[in-house]
Amino acid sequence: MNITKRKTIIAGNWKMNFVDSLKFFEGLSGITIAEGAEVVICAPHTFLNYIGADALKYGVAASVGAQDVSAFGSGAYTGEVSGEMLKHAGASYCIVGHSERRQYHGETNELVAEKALRCHENGLIPIVCVGESLEQREQGKTFTLISKQVSAILNALTEEQLNKTVFAYEPIWAIGTGKTATAEQAEEVCGAIRNRIAKKYNEEKAETISILYGGSMNDKNAVELLSRPDIDGGLIGGASLDPIKFAAINKAVETAGANV
Ligand code: 13P
């Protein structure tokens, strides 16, 4: 975590879990949010237009994020939700290319890049997820794969759009498995993402982009992960459903910042 050059983001991904948001934010009231850090809750589409208000009721400064966006702008795409609609419903962030969408909905690097573009066209900050499967890691393919996933985004976005883009390294084998990447493994890949950005632009640019880690991050391992210089926050699934754990992860930002 580099607290001077870029924003620290602690983003919860509620996935398709029904959360009583009033209860959740009540549990988060009085939460410590480190200076310069931002809390984002990525909720199912149907929650978006009220969770911001629910957070405010309990004095929690949380930004609202969606979990997916249509690759199309508008029109006859039954069941799809556009970037414009997400923005209108109160979102300022949107996850794109989560491995669960790549895996269960066949999303390709190109489609993910299209979705990132739809985010930018509508003033949403995309949180672009990249990550390898266990098999790919064991075959030594991690870095080539990550580079491909990141390159598709870098090739599609303008520099100005990249400035407002967040990356998240989420190794598939660590998602929902309770098996976290070690801080060294997470740092290594987050560093590789930063190097890929530096290769296209320069190191100064790469230093300004927030890169998160996701995959079984919790109240126990957050400090260690967040203390690493290239890890600028977390994208948290399971532990973001529990306000006590989620608050502890936010508290860990301060402790980790002091460790940097
Ligand atoms: P878990 O924290 O439940 O492993 O989920 C990570 C994730 O997929 C966040 O997007």
Side-chain angles (χ1 to χ4, degrees):
M1 198 167 66
N2 186 317
I3 41 182
T4 49
K5 292 195 181 128
R6 44 194 184 253
K7 190 182 269 184
T8 300
I9 297 168
I10 299 297
N13 176 6
W14 284 355
K15 306 193 179 183
M16 200 176 72
N17 292 293
F18 202 108
V19 177
D20 180 334
S21 66
L22 274 178
K23 254 201 198 137
F24 177 83
F25 289 114
E26 184 181 14
L28 272 195
S29 56
I31 181 186
T32 311
I33 300 175
E35 210 174 315
E38 187 169 356
V39 176
V40 183
I41 298 293
C42 298
H45 289 155
T46 53
F47 292 29
L48 296 179
N49 61 10
Y50 66 84
I51 58 166
D54 284 0
L56 281 181
K57 272 182 204 147
Y58 290 98
V60 178
S63 300
V64 174
Q67 300 172 9
D68 185 35
V69 62
S70 175
F72 302 104
S74 71
Y77 301 103
T78 303
E80 295 272 276
V81 177
S82 71
E84 185 184 15
M85 292 167 186
L86 298 177
K87 186 75 182 174
H88 185 74
S92 46
Y93 285 82
C94 180
I95 296 172
V96 297
H98 192 281
S99 61
E100 286 150 16
R101 297 221 48 99
R102 292 180 189 257
Q103 212 175 338
Y104 306 135
H105 301 272
E107 295 197 3
T108 60
N109 288 338
E110 291 64 38
L111 185 82
V112 174
E114 279 299 317
K115 291 189 171 196
L117 285 171
R118 294 302 88 72
C119 286
H120 285 297
E121 287 160 9
N122 292 286
L124 297 163
I125 298 175
I127 302 176
V128 180
C129 298
V130 297
E132 81 288 4
S133 66
L134 185 59
E135 197 187 0
Q136 288 162 331
R137 175 161 279 268
E138 285 172 353
Q139 290 171 348
K141 292 183 180 159
T142 302
F143 292 93
T144 341
L145 181 99
I146 300 288
S147 174
K148 258 198 200 148
Q149 291 176 329
V150 174
S151 299
I153 298 297
L154 295 180
N155 292 340
L157 301 188
T158 63
E159 183 174 352
E160 210 177 305
Q161 289 169 331
L162 174 69
N163 293 340
K164 293 190 187 127
T165 297
V166 172
F167 288 89
Y169 168 52
E170 296 210 314
I172 298 170
W173 48 273
I175 295 177
T177 56
K179 197 175 163 192
T180 325
T182 63
E184 289 73 24
Q185 286 171 323
E187 168 74 359
E188 201 183 14
V189 180
C190 289
I193 296 171
R194 205 176 299 288
N195 287 339
R196 181 64 194 85
I197 299 169
K199 201 168 143 203
K200 162 124 195 196
Y201 292 96
N202 52 56
E203 270 178 35
E204 290 71 40
K205 166 72 58 196
E207 284 295 314
T208 63
I209 307 294
S210 296
I211 303 173
L212 319 181
Y213 167 76
S216 300
M217 188 186 270
N218 58 38
D219 47 326
K220 307 275 185 307
N221 56 31
V223 171
E224 205 194 340
L225 287 159
L226 296 172
S227 299
R228 300 289 160 149
D230 277 318
I231 302 178
D232 304 313
L235 182 55
I236 300 125
S240 76
L241 300 172
D242 176 344
I244 295 172
K245 288 186 185 158
F246 193 61
I249 296 171
N250 278 281
K251 178 96 184 117
V253 172
E254 272 192 345
T255 320
N259 287 350
V260 170

